[in-house]
Amino acid sequence: MTNQEVKLFGVWESPFSKRVEIALKIKGVEYENVEEDLSNKSPQLLKYNPVHQKVPVLLHNGKPIVESLLILEYIDETWKSGPSILPSDPYERATSRFWANLLDDKLIPAAMKFIKSKGKEQEVIDEICELLSKLENELGDKKFFAGESIGLVDIAANIVALWLDVIQEAVGTKIFTKEAYPKLFKWIDEYMNCSVIKETLPLKADLLVHFAQSGHA
Amino acid sequence: MTNQEVKLFGVWESPFSKRVEIALKIKGVEYENVEEDLSNKSPQLLKYNPVHQKVPVLLHNGKPIVESLLILEYIDETWKSGPSILPSDPYERATSRFWANLLDDKLIPAAMKFIKSKGKEQEVIDEICELLSKLENELGDKKFFAGESIGLVDIAANIVALWLDVIQEAVGTKIFTKEAYPKLFKWIDEYMNCSVIKETLPLKADLLVHFAQSGHA
């Protein structure tokens, strides 16, 4: 496909925006990145995502797609030529969607509570640890969640690969360690070594500065 | 496909369980219904949905699929012979998923808050009314959300077609009325008139008794 307009409205520090970037790069889709300022959202962002008014928004030939996991499905269904993001088997697809949803519905809200409580609430820590154990168990001895190459869960789990460590460092309470979650840390090594991930995710040091400046830590 | 085992673990009063029943019936899939007791969940339910321990669970040839919206996608991908539940166009698919998610992520939690506050909190009422207006607007003058026949959003919106009225009657504060939302009420008429819906959804009177008995009203 040529002559198509693909624009991504996102912010560099958002794991949700980065999910979309990773998927577009995996598929080899050229796109224009539009960096938003969340304290002063652009009229386009508000126009294209009137209900949630959030990044990321993917604009494809004038049509806006919102919510990062839905955008990943859209990308996979639209650009079929590149590697698949979801498996083809319906049961495996349901399983991938289940774990991706668990990250968004459970782990990320728990991480937000962890930040708010400055790492001091044991109940929140227990919740995060339980979720990480479930992920560790689901990963098992596979290279990636999807098997031999990166798929939906791996892309969705970029928060586990990078942001979680930034958060715990910023708040000063370490709970996500190599000793406790050896399989997830092995996965992080493999993941962060992929060229598409390396060139897309921000630097940990930059995220730490951003966290400090935004008053989170 | 013959000789396959399709079991649904659900409860009669759950809009989530009913979504799955509707989808199976639309596809013409024969299944065995296993009625759960949520105050004493079966060992099978806990085994097949260890993370959330919730209904509905669809068991297909020994493999469990959980979360009602993911089950609907699974059913659509597995039994391709029947009518489609999701549209084929990727953009329309993303749009359907967006509205179905909005129901689960926003409207249903707001309805739960409405029950808890016994219909007394204006902020909760405003939130529900705003979401209903968005749905009314999205429906427009279409017969169903998907167009001429029932699709993902219509199935997911069974809570709007039946449970919302039960809830407002149970708590004694009417906010969802024909005058305020004429298009949604026209949709409800069309929807409740479909044979598959009529034969699947419980009676309003039975839900009201259940609500009263469970101490919600």
Side-chain angles (χ1 to χ4, degrees), chain A residues 52 64 66-67 70 73-74 77-78 90-91 93 97-98 101-102, chain B residues 52 63-64 66-67 70 73-74 77-78 90-91 93 97-98 101-102:
Chain A
H52 299 305
V66 304
E67 286 187 54
L70 300 190
E73 298 241 11
Y74 177 84
E77 292 169 357
T78 301
Y91 182 72
R93 290 165 73 83
R97 289 172 177 143
F98 172 84
N101 282 0
L102 193 80
Chain B
H52 299 305
K63 289 180 176 171
V66 304
E67 286 187 52
L70 300 191
E73 298 241 9
Y74 177 84
E77 292 169 358
T78 301
Y91 181 71
R93 291 165 72 84
R97 288 170 178 144
F98 172 83
N101 282 359
L102 193 80

PDB file of all heavy atoms in Angstrom, chain A residues 52 64 66-67 70 73-74 77-78 90-91 93 97-98 101-102, chain B residues 52 63-64 66-67 70 73-74 77-78 90-91 93 97-98 101-102:
ATOM      1  N   HIS A  52     -12.477   9.761  25.108  1.00  0.00           N
ATOM      2  CA  HIS A  52     -11.464   9.598  26.160  1.00  0.00           C
ATOM      3  C   HIS A  52     -10.432  10.736  26.189  1.00  0.00           C
ATOM      4  O   HIS A  52      -9.781  10.946  27.210  1.00  0.00           O
ATOM      5  CB  HIS A  52     -10.730   8.260  25.987  1.00  0.00           C
ATOM      6  CG  HIS A  52     -11.621   7.070  26.087  1.00  0.00           C
ATOM      7  ND1 HIS A  52     -12.425   6.845  27.166  1.00  0.00           N
ATOM      8  CD2 HIS A  52     -11.857   6.035  25.233  1.00  0.00           C
ATOM      9  CE1 HIS A  52     -13.116   5.718  26.989  1.00  0.00           C
ATOM     10  NE2 HIS A  52     -12.788   5.219  25.820  1.00  0.00           N
ATOM     11  N   PRO A  64      -9.682   7.871  12.629  1.00  0.00           N
ATOM     12  CA  PRO A  64      -8.978   7.709  13.894  1.00  0.00           C
ATOM     13  C   PRO A  64      -9.294   6.380  14.578  1.00  0.00           C
ATOM     14  O   PRO A  64     -10.450   5.959  14.627  1.00  0.00           O
ATOM     15  CB  PRO A  64      -9.547   8.861  14.742  1.00  0.00           C
ATOM     16  CG  PRO A  64     -10.928   9.082  14.198  1.00  0.00           C
ATOM     17  CD  PRO A  64     -10.933   8.638  12.756  1.00  0.00           C
ATOM     18  N   VAL A  66      -8.567   4.498  18.328  1.00  0.00           N
ATOM     19  CA  VAL A  66      -8.090   4.812  19.676  1.00  0.00           C
ATOM     20  C   VAL A  66      -8.014   3.554  20.542  1.00  0.00           C
ATOM     21  O   VAL A  66      -8.536   2.516  20.162  1.00  0.00           O
ATOM     22  CB  VAL A  66      -8.988   5.869  20.362  1.00  0.00           C
ATOM     23  CG1 VAL A  66      -9.085   7.128  19.517  1.00  0.00           C
ATOM     24  CG2 VAL A  66     -10.386   5.329  20.645  1.00  0.00           C
ATOM     25  N   GLU A  67      -7.350   3.699  21.686  1.00  0.00           N
ATOM     26  CA  GLU A  67      -7.082   2.626  22.660  1.00  0.00           C
ATOM     27  C   GLU A  67      -5.977   1.724  22.112  1.00  0.00           C
ATOM     28  O   GLU A  67      -6.175   1.047  21.113  1.00  0.00           O
ATOM     29  CB  GLU A  67      -8.323   1.782  22.961  1.00  0.00           C
ATOM     30  CG  GLU A  67      -9.331   2.492  23.837  1.00  0.00           C
ATOM     31  CD  GLU A  67     -10.452   1.551  24.240  1.00  0.00           C
ATOM     32  OE1 GLU A  67     -10.177   0.475  24.791  1.00  0.00           O
ATOM     33  OE2 GLU A  67     -11.596   1.908  23.995  1.00  0.00           O
ATOM     34  N   LEU A  70      -6.619  -1.885  20.971  1.00  0.00           N
ATOM     35  CA  LEU A  70      -7.466  -1.943  19.764  1.00  0.00           C
ATOM     36  C   LEU A  70      -6.682  -1.487  18.540  1.00  0.00           C
ATOM     37  O   LEU A  70      -6.883  -2.002  17.434  1.00  0.00           O
ATOM     38  CB  LEU A  70      -8.727  -1.089  19.945  1.00  0.00           C
ATOM     39  CG  LEU A  70      -9.655  -1.478  21.094  1.00  0.00           C
ATOM     40  CD1 LEU A  70     -10.970  -0.714  21.003  1.00  0.00           C
ATOM     41  CD2 LEU A  70      -9.920  -2.980  21.112  1.00  0.00           C
ATOM     42  N   GLU A  73      -4.650  -4.428  17.328  1.00  0.00           N
ATOM     43  CA  GLU A  73      -5.472  -5.367  16.534  1.00  0.00           C
ATOM     44  C   GLU A  73      -5.729  -4.783  15.137  1.00  0.00           C
ATOM     45  O   GLU A  73      -5.675  -5.496  14.136  1.00  0.00           O
ATOM     46  CB  GLU A  73      -6.820  -5.621  17.238  1.00  0.00           C
ATOM     47  CG  GLU A  73      -6.668  -6.277  18.612  1.00  0.00           C
ATOM     48  CD  GLU A  73      -7.340  -7.637  18.712  1.00  0.00           C
ATOM     49  OE1 GLU A  73      -7.762  -8.198  17.678  1.00  0.00           O
ATOM     50  OE2 GLU A  73      -7.427  -8.148  19.840  1.00  0.00           O
ATOM     51  N   TYR A  74      -5.996  -3.474  15.103  1.00  0.00           N
ATOM     52  CA  TYR A  74      -6.253  -2.816  13.820  1.00  0.00           C
ATOM     53  C   TYR A  74      -5.033  -2.922  12.907  1.00  0.00           C
ATOM     54  O   TYR A  74      -5.145  -3.243  11.716  1.00  0.00           O
ATOM     55  CB  TYR A  74      -6.623  -1.346  14.039  1.00  0.00           C
ATOM     56  CG  TYR A  74      -6.824  -0.575  12.748  1.00  0.00           C
ATOM     57  CD1 TYR A  74      -8.042  -0.603  12.088  1.00  0.00           C
ATOM     58  CD2 TYR A  74      -5.780   0.156  12.179  1.00  0.00           C
ATOM     59  CE1 TYR A  74      -8.225   0.091  10.895  1.00  0.00           C
ATOM     60  CE2 TYR A  74      -5.949   0.852  10.986  1.00  0.00           C
ATOM     61  CZ  TYR A  74      -7.173   0.808  10.347  1.00  0.00           C
ATOM     62  OH  TYR A  74      -7.345   1.493   9.162  1.00  0.00           O
ATOM     63  N   GLU A  77      -4.669  -6.397  11.555  1.00  0.00           N
ATOM     64  CA  GLU A  77      -5.688  -6.748  10.553  1.00  0.00           C
ATOM     65  C   GLU A  77      -5.513  -5.970   9.250  1.00  0.00           C
ATOM     66  O   GLU A  77      -5.959  -6.413   8.191  1.00  0.00           O
ATOM     67  CB  GLU A  77      -7.094  -6.468  11.115  1.00  0.00           C
ATOM     68  CG  GLU A  77      -7.484  -7.404  12.265  1.00  0.00           C
ATOM     69  CD  GLU A  77      -8.754  -6.969  12.999  1.00  0.00           C
ATOM     70  OE1 GLU A  77      -9.316  -5.915  12.658  1.00  0.00           O
ATOM     71  OE2 GLU A  77      -9.168  -7.683  13.928  1.00  0.00           O
ATOM     72  N   THR A  78      -4.880  -4.786   9.346  1.00  0.00           N
ATOM     73  CA  THR A  78      -4.780  -3.905   8.174  1.00  0.00           C
ATOM     74  C   THR A  78      -3.531  -4.194   7.345  1.00  0.00           C
ATOM     75  O   THR A  78      -3.577  -4.237   6.124  1.00  0.00           O
ATOM     76  CB  THR A  78      -4.794  -2.434   8.618  1.00  0.00           C
ATOM     77  OG1 THR A  78      -6.013  -2.198   9.332  1.00  0.00           O
ATOM     78  CG2 THR A  78      -4.710  -1.481   7.440  1.00  0.00           C
ATOM     79  N   PRO A  90      -7.822 -19.258  17.079  1.00  0.00           N
ATOM     80  CA  PRO A  90      -8.752 -18.497  17.928  1.00  0.00           C
ATOM     81  C   PRO A  90      -8.494 -18.649  19.426  1.00  0.00           C
ATOM     82  O   PRO A  90      -8.626 -17.683  20.176  1.00  0.00           O
ATOM     83  CB  PRO A  90     -10.125 -19.071  17.550  1.00  0.00           C
ATOM     84  CG  PRO A  90      -9.965 -19.565  16.165  1.00  0.00           C
ATOM     85  CD  PRO A  90      -8.552 -20.073  16.092  1.00  0.00           C
ATOM     86  N   TYR A  91      -8.134 -19.852  19.854  1.00  0.00           N
ATOM     87  CA  TYR A  91      -7.892 -20.041  21.293  1.00  0.00           C
ATOM     88  C   TYR A  91      -6.645 -19.278  21.740  1.00  0.00           C
ATOM     89  O   TYR A  91      -6.633 -18.615  22.779  1.00  0.00           O
ATOM     90  CB  TYR A  91      -7.760 -21.536  21.631  1.00  0.00           C
ATOM     91  CG  TYR A  91      -7.568 -21.746  23.115  1.00  0.00           C
ATOM     92  CD1 TYR A  91      -8.624 -21.542  23.998  1.00  0.00           C
ATOM     93  CD2 TYR A  91      -6.327 -22.116  23.640  1.00  0.00           C
ATOM     94  CE1 TYR A  91      -8.457 -21.689  25.362  1.00  0.00           C
ATOM     95  CE2 TYR A  91      -6.157 -22.268  25.001  1.00  0.00           C
ATOM     96  CZ  TYR A  91      -7.217 -22.062  25.862  1.00  0.00           C
ATOM     97  OH  TYR A  91      -7.046 -22.210  27.217  1.00  0.00           O
ATOM     98  N   ARG A  93      -5.458 -16.677  20.274  1.00  0.00           N
ATOM     99  CA  ARG A  93      -5.801 -15.245  20.196  1.00  0.00           C
ATOM    100  C   ARG A  93      -6.502 -14.799  21.478  1.00  0.00           C
ATOM    101  O   ARG A  93      -6.177 -13.757  22.045  1.00  0.00           O
ATOM    102  CB  ARG A  93      -6.720 -14.980  18.986  1.00  0.00           C
ATOM    103  CG  ARG A  93      -6.030 -15.131  17.657  1.00  0.00           C
ATOM    104  CD  ARG A  93      -7.030 -15.216  16.506  1.00  0.00           C
ATOM    105  NE  ARG A  93      -7.670 -13.952  16.186  1.00  0.00           N
ATOM    106  CZ  ARG A  93      -7.151 -13.012  15.413  1.00  0.00           C
ATOM    107  NH1 ARG A  93      -5.955 -13.196  14.885  1.00  0.00           N
ATOM    108  NH2 ARG A  93      -7.795 -11.909  15.156  1.00  0.00           N
ATOM    109  N   ARG A  97      -5.185 -12.016  24.158  1.00  0.00           N
ATOM    110  CA  ARG A  97      -6.017 -10.872  24.550  1.00  0.00           C
ATOM    111  C   ARG A  97      -6.252 -10.869  26.055  1.00  0.00           C
ATOM    112  O   ARG A  97      -6.289  -9.811  26.687  1.00  0.00           O
ATOM    113  CB  ARG A  97      -7.368 -10.926  23.820  1.00  0.00           C
ATOM    114  CG  ARG A  97      -7.268 -10.630  22.340  1.00  0.00           C
ATOM    115  CD  ARG A  97      -8.604 -10.895  21.638  1.00  0.00           C
ATOM    116  NE  ARG A  97      -8.556 -10.542  20.225  1.00  0.00           N
ATOM    117  CZ  ARG A  97      -9.161 -11.228  19.270  1.00  0.00           C
ATOM    118  NH1 ARG A  97      -9.865 -12.312  19.558  1.00  0.00           N
ATOM    119  NH2 ARG A  97      -9.071 -10.833  18.006  1.00  0.00           N
ATOM    120  N   PHE A  98      -6.420 -12.045  26.630  1.00  0.00           N
ATOM    121  CA  PHE A  98      -6.641 -12.144  28.076  1.00  0.00           C
ATOM    122  C   PHE A  98      -5.468 -11.536  28.847  1.00  0.00           C
ATOM    123  O   PHE A  98      -5.657 -10.727  29.756  1.00  0.00           O
ATOM    124  CB  PHE A  98      -6.820 -13.624  28.468  1.00  0.00           C
ATOM    125  CG  PHE A  98      -6.857 -13.844  29.953  1.00  0.00           C
ATOM    126  CD1 PHE A  98      -8.039 -13.683  30.655  1.00  0.00           C
ATOM    127  CD2 PHE A  98      -5.707 -14.190  30.652  1.00  0.00           C
ATOM    128  CE1 PHE A  98      -8.075 -13.859  32.029  1.00  0.00           C
ATOM    129  CE2 PHE A  98      -5.730 -14.370  32.025  1.00  0.00           C
ATOM    130  CZ  PHE A  98      -6.916 -14.199  32.715  1.00  0.00           C
ATOM    131  N   ASN A 101      -5.184  -7.755  28.316  1.00  0.00           N
ATOM    132  CA  ASN A 101      -6.204  -7.063  29.122  1.00  0.00           C
ATOM    133  C   ASN A 101      -5.832  -7.041  30.595  1.00  0.00           C
ATOM    134  O   ASN A 101      -6.086  -6.056  31.293  1.00  0.00           O
ATOM    135  CB  ASN A 101      -7.567  -7.767  28.985  1.00  0.00           C
ATOM    136  CG  ASN A 101      -8.255  -7.431  27.676  1.00  0.00           C
ATOM    137  OD1 ASN A 101      -7.733  -6.676  26.863  1.00  0.00           O
ATOM    138  ND2 ASN A 101      -9.425  -8.000  27.463  1.00  0.00           N
ATOM    139  N   LEU A 102      -5.243  -8.155  31.067  1.00  0.00           N
ATOM    140  CA  LEU A 102      -4.872  -8.226  32.488  1.00  0.00           C
ATOM    141  C   LEU A 102      -3.858  -7.132  32.833  1.00  0.00           C
ATOM    142  O   LEU A 102      -3.914  -6.518  33.905  1.00  0.00           O
ATOM    143  CB  LEU A 102      -4.290  -9.603  32.822  1.00  0.00           C
ATOM    144  CG  LEU A 102      -4.165  -9.902  34.318  1.00  0.00           C
ATOM    145  CD1 LEU A 102      -5.520 -10.338  34.900  1.00  0.00           C
ATOM    146  CD2 LEU A 102      -3.125 -10.979  34.592  1.00  0.00           C
TER     147      LEU A 102
ATOM    148  N   HIS B  52      -9.551 -14.772  37.452  1.00  0.00           N
ATOM    149  CA  HIS B  52     -10.667 -13.898  37.840  1.00  0.00           C
ATOM    150  C   HIS B  52     -11.754 -14.624  38.642  1.00  0.00           C
ATOM    151  O   HIS B  52     -12.518 -13.987  39.350  1.00  0.00           O
ATOM    152  CB  HIS B  52     -11.304 -13.260  36.600  1.00  0.00           C
ATOM    153  CG  HIS B  52     -10.356 -12.401  35.816  1.00  0.00           C
ATOM    154  ND1 HIS B  52      -9.674 -11.361  36.390  1.00  0.00           N
ATOM    155  CD2 HIS B  52      -9.981 -12.427  34.516  1.00  0.00           C
ATOM    156  CE1 HIS B  52      -8.925 -10.776  35.465  1.00  0.00           C
ATOM    157  NE2 HIS B  52      -9.076 -11.406  34.324  1.00  0.00           N
ATOM    158  N   LYS B  63     -10.974 -26.677  26.380  1.00  0.00           N
ATOM    159  CA  LYS B  63     -10.210 -25.425  26.536  1.00  0.00           C
ATOM    160  C   LYS B  63     -11.120 -24.297  27.037  1.00  0.00           C
ATOM    161  O   LYS B  63     -12.144 -23.998  26.426  1.00  0.00           O
ATOM    162  CB  LYS B  63      -9.588 -25.006  25.201  1.00  0.00           C
ATOM    163  CG  LYS B  63      -8.443 -25.906  24.792  1.00  0.00           C
ATOM    164  CD  LYS B  63      -7.863 -25.435  23.471  1.00  0.00           C
ATOM    165  CE  LYS B  63      -6.638 -26.253  23.080  1.00  0.00           C
ATOM    166  NZ  LYS B  63      -6.186 -25.949  21.716  1.00  0.00           N
ATOM    167  N   PRO B  64     -10.719 -23.652  28.144  1.00  0.00           N
ATOM    168  CA  PRO B  64     -11.556 -22.588  28.691  1.00  0.00           C
ATOM    169  C   PRO B  64     -11.230 -21.228  28.086  1.00  0.00           C
ATOM    170  O   PRO B  64     -10.065 -20.863  27.909  1.00  0.00           O
ATOM    171  CB  PRO B  64     -11.166 -22.595  30.179  1.00  0.00           C
ATOM    172  CG  PRO B  64      -9.744 -23.084  30.194  1.00  0.00           C
ATOM    173  CD  PRO B  64      -9.539 -23.960  28.982  1.00  0.00           C
ATOM    174  N   VAL B  66     -12.314 -17.157  28.759  1.00  0.00           N
ATOM    175  CA  VAL B  66     -12.966 -16.316  29.765  1.00  0.00           C
ATOM    176  C   VAL B  66     -13.079 -14.878  29.280  1.00  0.00           C
ATOM    177  O   VAL B  66     -12.465 -14.500  28.286  1.00  0.00           O
ATOM    178  CB  VAL B  66     -12.199 -16.365  31.118  1.00  0.00           C
ATOM    179  CG1 VAL B  66     -12.065 -17.795  31.608  1.00  0.00           C
ATOM    180  CG2 VAL B  66     -10.835 -15.704  31.019  1.00  0.00           C
ATOM    181  N   GLU B  67     -13.871 -14.093  30.022  1.00  0.00           N
ATOM    182  CA  GLU B  67     -14.181 -12.693  29.729  1.00  0.00           C
ATOM    183  C   GLU B  67     -15.158 -12.634  28.560  1.00  0.00           C
ATOM    184  O   GLU B  67     -14.810 -12.991  27.431  1.00  0.00           O
ATOM    185  CB  GLU B  67     -12.942 -11.858  29.378  1.00  0.00           C
ATOM    186  CG  GLU B  67     -12.074 -11.543  30.570  1.00  0.00           C
ATOM    187  CD  GLU B  67     -10.963 -10.579  30.196  1.00  0.00           C
ATOM    188  OE1 GLU B  67     -11.214  -9.517  29.618  1.00  0.00           O
ATOM    189  OE2 GLU B  67      -9.821 -10.928  30.476  1.00  0.00           O
ATOM    190  N   LEU B  70     -14.172 -11.305  25.073  1.00  0.00           N
ATOM    191  CA  LEU B  70     -13.190 -12.163  24.402  1.00  0.00           C
ATOM    192  C   LEU B  70     -13.852 -13.457  23.933  1.00  0.00           C
ATOM    193  O   LEU B  70     -13.482 -14.004  22.887  1.00  0.00           O
ATOM    194  CB  LEU B  70     -12.015 -12.477  25.334  1.00  0.00           C
ATOM    195  CG  LEU B  70     -11.207 -11.278  25.842  1.00  0.00           C
ATOM    196  CD1 LEU B  70      -9.935 -11.748  26.530  1.00  0.00           C
ATOM    197  CD2 LEU B  70     -10.861 -10.330  24.695  1.00  0.00           C
ATOM    198  N   GLU B  73     -15.545 -12.752  20.645  1.00  0.00           N
ATOM    199  CA  GLU B  73     -14.583 -12.755  19.523  1.00  0.00           C
ATOM    200  C   GLU B  73     -14.196 -14.201  19.173  1.00  0.00           C
ATOM    201  O   GLU B  73     -14.082 -14.565  17.995  1.00  0.00           O
ATOM    202  CB  GLU B  73     -13.319 -11.951  19.896  1.00  0.00           C
ATOM    203  CG  GLU B  73     -13.585 -10.488  20.186  1.00  0.00           C
ATOM    204  CD  GLU B  73     -12.857  -9.532  19.238  1.00  0.00           C
ATOM    205  OE1 GLU B  73     -12.273  -9.973  18.239  1.00  0.00           O
ATOM    206  OE2 GLU B  73     -12.892  -8.308  19.512  1.00  0.00           O
ATOM    207  N   TYR B  74     -13.994 -15.007  20.215  1.00  0.00           N
ATOM    208  CA  TYR B  74     -13.628 -16.414  19.990  1.00  0.00           C
ATOM    209  C   TYR B  74     -14.723 -17.144  19.210  1.00  0.00           C
ATOM    210  O   TYR B  74     -14.441 -17.866  18.249  1.00  0.00           O
ATOM    211  CB  TYR B  74     -13.377 -17.116  21.334  1.00  0.00           C
ATOM    212  CG  TYR B  74     -13.074 -18.586  21.197  1.00  0.00           C
ATOM    213  CD1 TYR B  74     -11.782 -19.027  20.911  1.00  0.00           C
ATOM    214  CD2 TYR B  74     -14.083 -19.550  21.306  1.00  0.00           C
ATOM    215  CE1 TYR B  74     -11.503 -20.380  20.763  1.00  0.00           C
ATOM    216  CE2 TYR B  74     -13.820 -20.895  21.158  1.00  0.00           C
ATOM    217  CZ  TYR B  74     -12.521 -21.303  20.886  1.00  0.00           C
ATOM    218  OH  TYR B  74     -12.258 -22.645  20.736  1.00  0.00           O
ATOM    219  N   GLU B  77     -14.721 -16.109  15.627  1.00  0.00           N
ATOM    220  CA  GLU B  77     -13.580 -16.632  14.866  1.00  0.00           C
ATOM    221  C   GLU B  77     -13.650 -18.144  14.679  1.00  0.00           C
ATOM    222  O   GLU B  77     -13.062 -18.685  13.742  1.00  0.00           O
ATOM    223  CB  GLU B  77     -12.267 -16.271  15.592  1.00  0.00           C
ATOM    224  CG  GLU B  77     -11.964 -14.776  15.577  1.00  0.00           C
ATOM    225  CD  GLU B  77     -10.827 -14.384  16.518  1.00  0.00           C
ATOM    226  OE1 GLU B  77     -10.281 -15.264  17.219  1.00  0.00           O
ATOM    227  OE2 GLU B  77     -10.487 -13.195  16.558  1.00  0.00           O
ATOM    228  N   THR B  78     -14.344 -18.834  15.592  1.00  0.00           N
ATOM    229  CA  THR B  78     -14.361 -20.297  15.565  1.00  0.00           C
ATOM    230  C   THR B  78     -15.477 -20.855  14.698  1.00  0.00           C
ATOM    231  O   THR B  78     -15.280 -21.790  13.935  1.00  0.00           O
ATOM    232  CB  THR B  78     -14.483 -20.842  17.001  1.00  0.00           C
ATOM    233  OG1 THR B  78     -13.368 -20.357  17.756  1.00  0.00           O
ATOM    234  CG2 THR B  78     -14.485 -22.363  17.024  1.00  0.00           C
ATOM    235  N   PRO B  90     -11.519  -3.727   9.132  1.00  0.00           N
ATOM    236  CA  PRO B  90     -10.738  -3.472  10.353  1.00  0.00           C
ATOM    237  C   PRO B  90     -11.156  -2.208  11.106  1.00  0.00           C
ATOM    238  O   PRO B  90     -11.170  -2.198  12.335  1.00  0.00           O
ATOM    239  CB  PRO B  90      -9.295  -3.352   9.844  1.00  0.00           C
ATOM    240  CG  PRO B  90      -9.267  -4.135   8.588  1.00  0.00           C
ATOM    241  CD  PRO B  90     -10.624  -3.959   7.969  1.00  0.00           C
ATOM    242  N   TYR B  91     -11.510  -1.151  10.375  1.00  0.00           N
ATOM    243  CA  TYR B  91     -11.894   0.087  11.057  1.00  0.00           C
ATOM    244  C   TYR B  91     -13.231  -0.088  11.777  1.00  0.00           C
ATOM    245  O   TYR B  91     -13.396   0.342  12.922  1.00  0.00           O
ATOM    246  CB  TYR B  91     -11.970   1.258  10.067  1.00  0.00           C
ATOM    247  CG  TYR B  91     -12.331   2.549  10.757  1.00  0.00           C
ATOM    248  CD1 TYR B  91     -11.415   3.179  11.601  1.00  0.00           C
ATOM    249  CD2 TYR B  91     -13.595   3.111  10.620  1.00  0.00           C
ATOM    250  CE1 TYR B  91     -11.750   4.345  12.271  1.00  0.00           C
ATOM    251  CE2 TYR B  91     -13.930   4.280  11.290  1.00  0.00           C
ATOM    252  CZ  TYR B  91     -13.001   4.889  12.111  1.00  0.00           C
ATOM    253  OH  TYR B  91     -13.331   6.035  12.780  1.00  0.00           O
ATOM    254  N   ARG B  93     -14.369  -2.913  12.818  1.00  0.00           N
ATOM    255  CA  ARG B  93     -14.102  -3.833  13.935  1.00  0.00           C
ATOM    256  C   ARG B  93     -13.597  -3.041  15.139  1.00  0.00           C
ATOM    257  O   ARG B  93     -14.049  -3.240  16.272  1.00  0.00           O
ATOM    258  CB  ARG B  93     -13.067  -4.895  13.542  1.00  0.00           C
ATOM    259  CG  ARG B  93     -13.579  -5.886  12.520  1.00  0.00           C
ATOM    260  CD  ARG B  93     -12.448  -6.685  11.900  1.00  0.00           C
ATOM    261  NE  ARG B  93     -11.860  -7.670  12.796  1.00  0.00           N
ATOM    262  CZ  ARG B  93     -12.349  -8.882  12.993  1.00  0.00           C
ATOM    263  NH1 ARG B  93     -13.434  -9.267  12.353  1.00  0.00           N
ATOM    264  NH2 ARG B  93     -11.752  -9.736  13.817  1.00  0.00           N
ATOM    265  N   ARG B  97     -15.379  -2.700  18.797  1.00  0.00           N
ATOM    266  CA  ARG B  97     -14.669  -3.038  20.043  1.00  0.00           C
ATOM    267  C   ARG B  97     -14.619  -1.841  20.980  1.00  0.00           C
ATOM    268  O   ARG B  97     -14.703  -1.988  22.196  1.00  0.00           O
ATOM    269  CB  ARG B  97     -13.241  -3.507  19.719  1.00  0.00           C
ATOM    270  CG  ARG B  97     -13.176  -4.883  19.083  1.00  0.00           C
ATOM    271  CD  ARG B  97     -11.772  -5.171  18.560  1.00  0.00           C
ATOM    272  NE  ARG B  97     -11.675  -6.507  17.997  1.00  0.00           N
ATOM    273  CZ  ARG B  97     -10.928  -6.830  16.930  1.00  0.00           C
ATOM    274  NH1 ARG B  97     -10.215  -5.882  16.321  1.00  0.00           N
ATOM    275  NH2 ARG B  97     -10.891  -8.064  16.487  1.00  0.00           N
ATOM    276  N   PHE B  98     -14.458  -0.647  20.401  1.00  0.00           N
ATOM    277  CA  PHE B  98     -14.399   0.565  21.218  1.00  0.00           C
ATOM    278  C   PHE B  98     -15.680   0.731  22.033  1.00  0.00           C
ATOM    279  O   PHE B  98     -15.643   0.957  23.242  1.00  0.00           O
ATOM    280  CB  PHE B  98     -14.179   1.786  20.316  1.00  0.00           C
ATOM    281  CG  PHE B  98     -14.306   3.101  21.039  1.00  0.00           C
ATOM    282  CD1 PHE B  98     -13.225   3.614  21.739  1.00  0.00           C
ATOM    283  CD2 PHE B  98     -15.500   3.801  21.033  1.00  0.00           C
ATOM    284  CE1 PHE B  98     -13.342   4.818  22.423  1.00  0.00           C
ATOM    285  CE2 PHE B  98     -15.615   5.008  21.720  1.00  0.00           C
ATOM    286  CZ  PHE B  98     -14.536   5.511  22.416  1.00  0.00           C
ATOM    287  N   ASN B 101     -16.132  -1.997  24.676  1.00  0.00           N
ATOM    288  CA  ASN B 101     -15.246  -1.725  25.818  1.00  0.00           C
ATOM    289  C   ASN B 101     -15.795  -0.597  26.681  1.00  0.00           C
ATOM    290  O   ASN B 101     -15.679  -0.634  27.907  1.00  0.00           O
ATOM    291  CB  ASN B 101     -13.842  -1.330  25.339  1.00  0.00           C
ATOM    292  CG  ASN B 101     -13.024  -2.522  24.894  1.00  0.00           C
ATOM    293  OD1 ASN B 101     -13.487  -3.661  24.954  1.00  0.00           O
ATOM    294  ND2 ASN B 101     -11.802  -2.277  24.456  1.00  0.00           N
ATOM    295  N   LEU B 102     -16.369   0.424  26.014  1.00  0.00           N
ATOM    296  CA  LEU B 102     -16.898   1.563  26.770  1.00  0.00           C
ATOM    297  C   LEU B 102     -18.009   1.108  27.724  1.00  0.00           C
ATOM    298  O   LEU B 102     -18.111   1.591  28.853  1.00  0.00           O
ATOM    299  CB  LEU B 102     -17.432   2.636  25.816  1.00  0.00           C
ATOM    300  CG  LEU B 102     -17.718   3.990  26.467  1.00  0.00           C
ATOM    301  CD1 LEU B 102     -16.428   4.787  26.626  1.00  0.00           C
ATOM    302  CD2 LEU B 102     -18.709   4.805  25.638  1.00  0.00           C
TER     303      LEU B 102
END
